[in-house]
Amino acid sequence: MCLGAASPIIRNNRFISNQALQESEGGGLRHGGGLFAYESGALIQGNLLEGNYAQHGGGGIGAEEYFGVIENNRIVGNEAHWGGGINIWSHRDGFPLPIVRNNLVLNNFYHWDGRGGGMILVFSSGLVVNNVIFGNQAYSGGGIEILSIASPPAAIRNNILWGNIATN
């Protein structure tokens, strides 16, 4: 977990078969089964995030009020309610924009009526570029879901989205 305006470099790690669950009634974050970044400018680079589970958002990577870079990662076979692979959630103006680039986002999925099998951006601007997003599944937004348009809106450019399924 990365909290509070920190900007660490998280590079060349393996996050495998981790879970983010609610700790007690009304408690617990439940985000980021593999990795969770909050109010962070972390560089998340060259990691394997595989088979992780988040009860709420970001089976592989959960990021709230995130302004860093997620690049060159393999995000494979993770599960969450929102954003099986990646969940970026921001509801504050004035944060620098996150960048998600050159990642393999593969075979991530949802539970219940989940959204964004590969990735979901909630109230979030940013740049999503040069990713391969393949074989993900969700109730809506099999590959990518953008929920609520931020200002400026997220830029989705030059990605390969293929074989993703929205069951809705």
Side-chain angles (χ1 to χ4, degrees):
M1 182 181 328
C2 179
L3 298 173
S7 295
I9 296 171
I10 303 169
R11 181 182 290 142
N12 299 330
N13 297 287
R14 296 171 52 142
F15 299 88
I16 299 174
S17 299
N18 298 289
Q19 295 184 351
L21 304 172
Q22 185 171 349
E23 295 171 4
S24 62
E25 188 173 324
L29 294 172
R30 304 176 294 153
H31 297 277
L35 175 65
F36 179 64
Y38 179 74
E39 291 186 348
S40 171
L43 170 61
I44 302 170
Q45 181 183 63
N47 300 287
L48 171 64
L49 297 108
E50 183 174 3
N52 300 292
Y53 172 87
Q55 189 175 11
H56 195 290
I61 299 172
E64 187 170 345
E65 311 301 353
Y66 179 74
F67 51 93
V69 176
I70 299 170
E71 68 179 359
N72 300 322
N73 299 286
R74 290 177 293 148
I75 303 164
V76 180
N78 301 287
E79 178 183 359
H81 184 74
W82 284 22
I86 302 171
N87 178 344
I88 298 177
W89 186 300
S90 180
H91 42 281
R92 287 193 211 168
D93 292 330
F95 268 60
L97 303 179
I99 298 170
V100 180
R101 66 178 168 218
N102 303 325
N103 297 285
L104 173 64
V105 183
L106 172 68
N107 294 335
N108 298 285
F109 55 100
Y110 72 107
H111 52 261
W112 304 310
D113 60 348
R115 298 169 172 255
M119 176 185 319
I120 189 168
L121 304 173
V122 183
F123 305 113
S124 186
S125 299
L127 174 63
V128 178
V129 62
N130 297 336
N131 299 283
V132 175
I133 302 169
F134 171 74
N136 301 285
Q137 183 173 340
Y139 179 75
S140 62
I144 298 175
E145 177 148 343
I146 298 172
L147 186 62
S148 197
I149 300 300
S151 180
I156 311 295
R157 296 191 184 130
N158 201 38
N159 298 281
I160 297 172
L161 289 103
W162 177 44
N164 300 290
I165 298 171
T167 61
N168 180 14

